[in-house]
Amino acid sequence: MFNLYKTWFFLLLICGTSFFLLGCFFLLNMISYLLDWEVISLNSSYLSMSIYLDWMSTMFMGSVMLISSMVILYSSSYMSNDIFKIRFLLIVLLFVLSMMFLIISPNLISILLGWDGLGLVSYCLVIYYQNNKSYNAGMLTILSNRIGDICILISISWLFNMGSWNFVYYLSFLDSTISFWLMNLLILASFTKSAQIPFSSWLPAAMAAPTPVSALVHSSTLVTAGVYLLIRFSELIYIYNLDLFLLISCLTMFMSGLSANFEYDLKKIIALSTLSQLGLMMSVLFMGNFMCSYFHMLTHAFFKALMFLCAGLIIHCMNDSQDIRHMGYLINCIPFTCACFCISNLSLCGFPFLSGFYSKDMSLEYMSYNFINMYIYILFYISVGLTVCYSLRLIYFCFKGSNGLMSFNLFYEDKTMLYPLVLLTILSILSGSSLMWLIFPYPDFFYFPLILSILPLLFLILGAWLGYSISMMGLYDSVFGFSFNFILEFFSCMWFMPSFSTYMLYNNSMLYSKMSYIFMDHSWGEYTISGVLPNLINYLSSYYSVYQLNNVKIYLISYIFMFFFLIILIK
């Protein structure tokens, strides 16, 4: 089994490195290839498989494969005691394959193949542990993503009016009606996959999956699919006013950052941080800078994968407890993992000269340089401050003086788990500057007043202080006269979105489905036409079975009746 994991690790590592270097070559020489394979042709219609290779798709494929190889090597130890570890490996490989289809396709049909594949395989991974919580989370995940699948299907039918599904040919020549509806459908599809408001509730619920899967899903595959789709269609969506979508993305970033500050589940905090970064990518994209969004998507993939793998090792050592209140003083027990976790957290915060700093600082500078609404501007900076706040709160809870409630004797750092952490730590430190030199060879010069120049640093320091203050608070403290416990309950529930997505929907839909079932499946046609003969046979068979099981009693009763009947006749 370990050899199988090792084989796929080496294969994906070699492929990932090759694709990344190929992407660098394509970028430096501005080369792109479009390969079109005609599968079947019938009269004037044909079905083709298209592959579009440019620097953007090849670099992203390289990143996905590199992270997948690290996750598979990590899983060889993490899932070593699982009885279905081969099945787990195959599902993860299917997941990576679906993402490859989505990345390289300029054709909406083959994009749907990858898009739907991601939704289906993610459902299989979320319900992997097969308990009620996993089943509910998996159902919420796949039903949320089905909305996006329907939008892609309708987009396919719209594009069919143009004569082909290869969108790269028609983005500049679409009819105004077709392009307007296509833009709305694609943004709705990407919102479902990237969990923007009001589809945010499935992302924390999907934490029911094994931790290596979470590292893959939240770094470079499932949740970034929506962002990548909009980057590909950026030429189309920039024709229209995107202010409403920009507001929704900023609110997603703010809401997830606020919720993460009042959450105690380690994996859910990191999931909410992913949601916050997705809001950042979408916001920058809707502001008109898709290159900056793509840059942040790549840098985010490396440090978020590192963060999840470190969290998995911490949970492993903590006897499978995910509550950060049970942790503390881990720096003395698993020092290397804690160091990697701190590096990934600081990179997420945008600490100077780590990879997250380059993309995040560029996003903030680009926003400051443009004419952005003051409400959006303030919301954006507060959300960045909240990122620092929950990241440092997490570090305070996990690594400072011991305040845990449980005793642990499972502290160890497995060598097989540490190798992926080493490589991802190097990438989390160096990928930002390297990618910036590659993607932006001619840097822009932004000239700001002093207050705007130091504003990101001020919010970083303010967020760090606030995170420390929140980590010091107890349940019975009060904030502005409100009980901390009340604030905890209110802010940690993501503005009641999980309730809207679950209770409000299934309570009403169960009643509607029952009424539909009775009306459609058990209407008069069922009884009078197709149900008569089975009902008659059922009645007769039950009568015959009673007769056969009670034949002695029936003979006696019939004899008595016959005797009385004969007496009456004789008289």
Side-chain angles (χ1 to χ4, degrees):
M1 184 280 302
F2 182 72
N3 288 334
L4 189 61
Y5 272 84
K6 217 171 191 179
T7 305
W8 279 107
F9 157 69
F10 278 117
L11 191 62
L12 283 171
L13 184 65
I14 292 163
C15 290
T17 310
S18 306
F19 272 114
F20 203 85
L21 293 173
L22 185 66
C24 297
F25 176 74
F26 282 177
L27 176 60
L28 294 172
N29 295 285
M30 297 310 290
I31 300 172
S32 60
Y33 290 105
L34 178 63
L35 310 174
D36 197 43
W37 173 46
E38 189 176 300
V39 181
I40 187 170
S41 177
L42 185 65
N43 295 336
S44 61
S45 301
Y46 73 99
L47 182 66
S48 67
M49 176 65 200
S50 305
I51 295 174
Y52 184 52
L53 294 174
D54 65 340
W55 69 270
M56 205 173 268
S57 60
T58 44
M59 283 179 85
F60 192 35
M61 269 202 295
S63 305
V64 172
M65 285 183 175
L66 276 171
I67 291 167
S68 307
S69 67
M70 296 299 111
V71 167
I72 285 172
L73 180 62
Y74 181 89
S75 304
S76 63
S77 175
Y78 190 89
M79 307 296 287
S80 57
N81 297 324
D82 194 271
I83 55 172
F84 299 119
K85 42 190 172 282
I86 303 298
R87 181 200 295 174
F88 174 80
L89 175 64
L90 293 175
I91 296 174
V92 169
L93 291 172
L94 266 176
F95 198 65
V96 177
L97 182 67
S98 301
M99 193 65 193
M100 294 301 112
F101 270 120
L102 190 137
I103 292 170
I104 62 175
S105 298
N107 186 324
L108 270 182
I109 297 284
S110 43
I111 277 184
L112 181 69
L113 190 66
W115 191 271
D116 233 347
L118 283 172
L120 181 62
V121 179
S122 67
Y123 173 73
C124 298
L125 288 167
V126 170
I127 65 165
Y128 183 81
Y129 285 134
Q130 298 184 13
N131 52 48
N132 285 334
K133 183 185 174 185
S134 299
Y135 294 147
N136 293 332
M139 217 54 208
L140 180 59
T141 301
I142 198 167
L143 290 178
S144 299
N145 283 302
R146 288 309 290 168
I147 300 167
D149 300 340
I150 292 162
C151 291
I152 296 285
L153 281 168
I154 300 170
S155 304
I156 288 168
S157 63
W158 271 109
L159 265 184
F160 193 54
N161 294 324
M162 299 300 295
S164 170
W165 293 297
N166 286 351
F167 61 84
V168 289
Y169 300 152
Y170 301 115
L171 286 182
S172 306
F173 308 104
L174 285 173
D175 180 69
S176 59
T177 309
I178 293 176
S179 60
F180 175 74
W181 284 107
L182 193 61
M183 180 268 298
N184 281 300
L185 287 166
L186 289 169
I187 288 176
L188 182 58
S190 65
F191 271 23
T192 59
K193 200 64 98 181
S194 294
Q196 302 298 292
I197 289 174
F199 307 107
S200 304
S201 56
W202 72 262
L203 195 67
M207 289 296 98
T211 307
V213 172
S214 302
L216 193 56
V217 165
H218 286 258
S219 61
S220 56
T221 51
L222 182 68
V223 293
T224 53
V227 182
Y228 184 76
L229 185 75
L230 286 187
I231 289 169
R232 280 300 191 199
F233 277 90
S234 56
E235 195 177 334
L236 168 71
I237 65 172
Y238 287 155
I239 303 169
Y240 297 97
N241 186 358
L242 303 171
D243 288 349
L244 174 63
F245 305 118
L246 174 61
L247 176 64
I248 292 171
S249 301
C250 283
L251 285 174
T252 305
M253 188 164 57
F254 176 69
M255 176 269 297
S256 52
L258 202 58
S259 299
N261 276 296
F262 298 96
E263 181 61 62
Y264 287 107
D265 189 320
L266 176 60
K267 283 178 72 176
K268 279 193 178 177
I269 292 171
I270 304 176
L272 288 165
S273 82
T274 304
L275 188 54
S276 173
Q277 298 310 300
L278 288 169
L280 175 69
M281 292 173 212
M282 285 285 190
S283 303
V284 176
L285 183 67
F286 291 133
M287 283 175 200
N289 195 347
F290 71 92
M291 290 290 287
C292 190
S293 178
Y294 176 79
F295 177 38
H296 187 62
M297 186 172 72
L298 284 185
T299 54
H300 170 260
F302 295 119
F303 65 72
K304 188 50 62 75
L306 174 63
M307 195 182 291
F308 261 110
L309 294 186
C310 291
L313 192 49
I314 290 168
I315 292 165
H316 224 41
C317 296
M318 285 281 133
N319 204 7
D320 296 332
S321 170
Q322 294 180 196
D323 197 323
I324 59 173
R325 289 170 293 189
H326 294 166
M327 300 173 190
Y329 226 34
L330 292 179
I331 194 73
N332 288 350
C333 309
I334 41 174
F336 186 79
T337 308
C338 292
C340 295
F341 192 76
C342 288
I343 288 169
S344 62
N345 251 320
L346 291 173
S347 185
L348 169 69
C349 298
F351 191 81
F353 312 115
L354 294 177
S355 64
F357 163 75
Y358 292 94
S359 53
K360 220 167 191 179
D361 203 56
M362 182 183 284
S363 305
L364 290 167
E365 286 178 346
Y366 182 82
M367 188 191 63
S368 299
Y369 207 72
N370 282 317
F371 295 98
I372 299 295
N373 184 295
M374 183 56 78
Y375 177 73
I376 299 284
Y377 190 79
I378 293 169
L379 204 61
F380 207 87
Y381 267 100
I382 290 173
S383 305
V384 168
L386 287 172
T387 304
V388 186
C389 186
Y390 64 70
S391 298
L392 290 180
R393 170 179 174 262
L394 195 56
I395 291 173
Y396 296 144
F397 260 101
C398 294
F399 307 140
K400 67 171 185 141
S402 178
N403 61 351
L405 305 176
M406 298 166 66
S407 59
F408 306 107
N409 54 3
L410 292 173
F411 295 113
Y412 69 99
E413 289 186 323
D414 190 351
K415 272 188 182 178
T416 313
M417 289 188 181
L418 289 183
Y419 291 139
L421 300 188
V422 173
L423 184 60
L424 285 172
T425 304
I426 294 166
L427 288 170
S428 296
I429 295 169
L430 300 178
S431 64
S433 54
S434 309
L435 286 168
M436 190 171 184
W437 292 331
L438 281 169
I439 299 173
F440 306 100
Y442 306 107
D444 295 324
F445 178 72
F446 293 103
Y447 181 75
F448 291 116
L450 178 65
I451 185 65
L452 283 183
S453 299
I454 62 169
L455 201 58
L457 192 62
L458 285 175
F459 272 91
L460 197 137
I461 295 165
L462 189 65
W465 170 77
L466 195 60
Y468 180 75
S469 303
I470 291 173
S471 70
M472 290 292 106
M473 293 187 72
L475 286 179
Y476 301 104
D477 293 335
S478 62
V479 184
F480 300 119
F482 292 105
S483 163
F484 183 66
N485 196 26
F486 169 76
I487 295 172
L488 199 72
E489 290 293 325
F490 179 73
F491 284 126
S492 65
C493 60
M494 292 176 67
W495 296 352
F496 307 112
M497 222 171 295
S499 303
F500 291 139
S501 303
T502 52
Y503 313 130
M504 284 186 69
L505 284 179
Y506 68 64
N507 283 349
N508 298 320
S509 58
M510 282 289 284
L511 179 64
Y512 172 72
S513 60
K514 184 183 177 184
M515 288 166 60
S516 302
Y517 175 70
I518 292 167
F519 179 72
M520 300 298 291
D521 287 358
H522 290 270
S523 56
W524 58 269
E526 179 80 24
Y527 288 115
T528 56
I529 299 168
S530 58
V532 169
L533 192 60
N535 285 340
L536 179 63
I537 293 168
N538 190 26
Y539 172 73
L540 290 175
S541 64
S542 64
Y543 176 76
Y544 291 148
S545 66
V546 170
Y547 181 76
Q548 287 171 357
L549 291 171
N550 301 285
N551 50 5
V552 178
K553 296 175 188 176
I554 290 167
Y555 289 148
L556 285 171
I557 291 168
S558 60
Y559 174 76
I560 292 167
F561 271 110
M562 186 63 73
F563 179 75
F564 280 112
F565 185 67
L566 287 173
I567 289 173
I568 291 166
L569 280 178
I570 291 168
K571 286 184 178 181

